[in-house]
Amino acid sequence: MSSKKKTIAGVTRRHGIAAAPALTGRTKIVILAAVSLAVAAAIAIIAISVAQSTVNRAATAPEGGTAVVRANSHVLGEAADGKVTLVEFLDFECEACGALYPHVEQLREDYAGRITFVTRYFPLPGHQNSKPAAIAAEAAAAQGEFEQMYRMMFETQPQWGERQETQAAIFRGFAEEIGLDMTEFDAAVADPATLDRVLVDFNDGVALGIQSTPTFFLNGEMMTITSIDDFRAQIDAALAE
């Protein structure tokens, strides 16, 4: 953002200026205190601006890929020619994501080998268990079982979604059902790096302007979808180009 720099020009007559009254010691102290507070406030504002700038740079300049797809993004099906890529930013607790899940699965089946499907996390702050669910999915991914956990989350969403208390024990049960090494799973869930991996996706999504889930990108462009037929039509158009 650009800001206009305001300047104030003061004009003083060279003659006829009355002498200013002498300042008392108490007045000097008050003025010095006011100046000190002003300087401290200015320093604080500069520090905040620098911190925000650092955060913005981190969100908009990801490493290992573009902001839409990273090298370590989870791929649920890959096109042979790499021509068309569909990326979904999702929240496992989001009811809309859950409602669209069967349609996305059908798209994966119908366009298998023709489209690269990529899934990224975007846990909404208003959902108590969306972030723990993403952490559990990422912990499963560490053992090569992201897709299994991804399916489990959506297929059981009505059982644990919209709860105010943690559902971590249920997610751990999913890991056991899938057959994961539970020592490794627990360690991955507790590892701050796992949460950091989830937040990388979330921060990229924020930088891309995502405000709700699910949000899809087709070949790097955010989609506006009016219906399932429209969804397919846009994919078909991308394949035809």
Side-chain angles (χ1 to χ4, degrees):
M1 293 186 296
S2 61
S3 60
K4 296 181 179 178
K5 183 178 180 181
K6 297 181 179 179
T7 59
I8 300 174
V11 179
T12 305
R13 291 181 298 176
R14 292 181 180 275
H15 304 286
I17 299 176
L23 299 177
T24 65
R26 182 176 182 180
T27 303
K28 290 180 180 178
I29 292 173
V30 171
I31 292 174
L32 287 173
V35 171
S36 298
L37 288 173
V39 171
I43 292 172
I45 291 172
I46 292 171
I48 292 171
S49 298
V50 170
Q52 290 177 336
S53 176
T54 301
V55 170
N56 290 338
R57 284 198 302 271
T60 57
E63 298 176 359
T66 67
V68 178
V69 179
R70 286 178 175 264
N72 62 351
S73 293
H74 298 301
V75 177
L76 295 179
E78 194 163 3
D81 58 9
K83 181 178 179 180
V84 177
T85 299
L86 181 68
V87 181
E88 179 183 8
F89 282 79
L90 59 79
D91 176 336
F92 288 117
E93 194 171 359
C94 165
E95 291 182 347
C97 294
L100 200 59
Y101 164 72
H103 298 288
V104 173
E105 290 298 285
Q106 189 62 53
L107 290 175
R108 288 180 57 199
E109 180 179 337
D110 293 345
Y111 291 95
R114 302 169 62 198
I115 293 179
T116 298
F117 290 85
V118 178
T119 297
R120 301 194 67 183
Y121 308 113
F122 197 79
L124 296 170
H127 289 158
Q128 179 71 25
N129 285 287
S130 59
K131 193 177 293 181
I135 289 172
E138 189 59 26
Q143 298 187 45
E145 295 292 350
F146 171 81
E147 185 169 354
Q148 283 278 68
M149 186 64 83
Y150 159 86
R151 292 179 182 274
M152 188 79 74
M153 288 293 180
F154 279 128
E155 291 171 3
T156 65
Q157 189 194 73
Q159 301 174 22
W160 58 267
E162 302 300 323
R163 303 292 193 275
Q164 295 306 308
E165 64 278 1
T166 180
Q167 301 296 297
I170 289 180
F171 302 152
R172 191 177 189 277
F174 294 165
E176 290 179 317
E177 187 173 342
I178 292 170
L180 299 182
D181 181 310
M182 295 311 297
T183 300
E184 291 184 14
F185 177 82
D186 290 340
V189 168
D191 189 347
T194 305
L195 173 59
D196 289 344
R197 169 65 183 80
V198 171
L199 294 180
V200 163
D201 279 6
F202 180 81
N203 289 336
D204 281 351
V206 171
L208 288 165
I210 295 175
Q211 297 181 348
S212 61
T213 54
T215 294
F216 293 87
F217 289 80
L218 185 61
N219 283 350
E221 297 294 328
M222 186 184 293
M223 301 179 72
T224 299
I225 302 169
T226 59
S227 67
I228 297 301
D229 288 340
D230 176 53
F231 201 169
R232 287 178 174 273
Q234 291 187 53
I235 292 173
D236 290 338
L239 287 169
E241 289 180 358

